[in-house]
Amino acid sequence: MGGSASLEKELNSINELVKHLEEIYALLQKHELDKPVISQIKEIETRIDFNRKQKSFFQTMFSNNDEFKLEEDQVKVLRKRLLLDYGFNFSIKHREASSTSLEQSKTQLTALKNYCVILQKSIVESKKRATELEVSKIKNAELKIEKEKQKEAENKRIKALAAAHTGKTRQLATNVKNQLKQQTSLISGCPYCGGSLGETPHADHIYPVARGGLSTADNMIYVCQRCNIKKSDKTVYEFVREAKLNLNQVLTNIEILGKRV
């Protein structure tokens, strides 16, 4: 709001100046209207002065002093009228007004009033921009809070899913191992090479995890360590061809275990 405050301060100063100029302009207009009165005063005073100079010293001494009183009283009345019209500040404002023409005063007054209109519009625009900025800040703050809430909610959801998945995976791993242990009752050796499973048989994914295979009992069998390492991320067909094993025997063993390639 700092911009609008400075503009309002300037507007107040200009309004004071406009008020002052309006007073001067009014005086100038009055002065124009009073020109005939002033001319009349000057004319009477000039006539009185001229008539007095025309009389000799003795004529002046012995003449009736009331000879010029009527005209002098008329001048006093006219002067009093001007004084009442202008008020007590007549002498100060009249000097100020006399230095400025009526047309100049009108031009200055119009320019200042136009400037006041511009300032008022600028103040309105400044306040509008300030308000929009405040609203924007509030909206951004609310949006940020909402995003943080959504992020927090998403994190909680992911943690919940992860916890659920971990629990299911652990349960699945236990179930798979229990099922794979039953494999030895169906086939005593390695389903791939026919050799011994050894002391530490490996749980192999029939269809490789790297290719989208799942860690489910249907896709896992116990094999010997050597076959599991060699097979790696190959399919059964690729592994059998590379290891030069009996494909029919391997497929038969997998089928006996209730699995599918």
Side-chain angles (χ1 to χ4, degrees), residues 1 27 59 61 68 75-76 91 131 152 185 203 206 211 222 236 238 242 261:
M1 292 292 181
L27 283 174
Q59 286 176 324
M61 287 293 293
F68 302 108
V75 169
K76 286 180 181 179
S91 59
T131 301
E152 185 179 354
S185 64
I206 299 172
R211 299 190 182 187
Y222 265 145
V236 171
E238 290 170 344
E242 184 179 290
V261 177

Side-chain angles (χ1 to χ4, degrees), residues 67-129:
E67 184 179 349
F68 302 108
K69 190 173 184 306
L70 184 62
E71 289 183 318
E72 287 175 344
D73 287 343
Q74 187 179 358
V75 169
K76 286 180 181 179
V77 171
L78 292 173
R79 283 185 175 279
K80 186 177 181 180
R81 173 185 161 188
L82 290 176
L83 183 60
L84 289 173
D85 286 344
Y86 281 103
F88 294 107
N89 294 327
F90 167 73
S91 59
I92 298 173
K93 292 185 177 178
H94 182 266
R95 282 199 300 271
E96 203 168 348
S98 63
S99 63
T100 309
S101 70
L102 187 64
E103 193 61 34
Q104 286 176 328
S105 179
K106 185 177 181 180
T107 302
Q108 291 174 359
L109 194 57
T110 302
L112 283 174
K113 285 183 176 179
N114 289 338
Y115 184 51
C116 283
V117 173
I118 294 171
L119 278 178
Q120 286 171 339
K121 288 182 179 179
S122 298
I123 290 170
V124 172
E125 287 297 320
S126 180
K127 287 183 177 180
K128 183 180 178 182
R129 286 194 298 270

Side-chain angles (χ1 to χ4, degrees), residues 159-188:
K159 286 180 180 179
L161 288 174
H165 178 71
T166 300
K168 287 181 180 178
T169 301
R170 286 174 180 172
Q171 183 62 40
L172 180 62
T174 302
N175 292 338
V176 170
K177 287 180 180 178
N178 289 334
Q179 290 180 37
L180 292 182
K181 285 179 182 179
Q182 299 173 10
Q183 173 181 319
T184 54
S185 64
L186 299 174
I187 297 177
S188 59

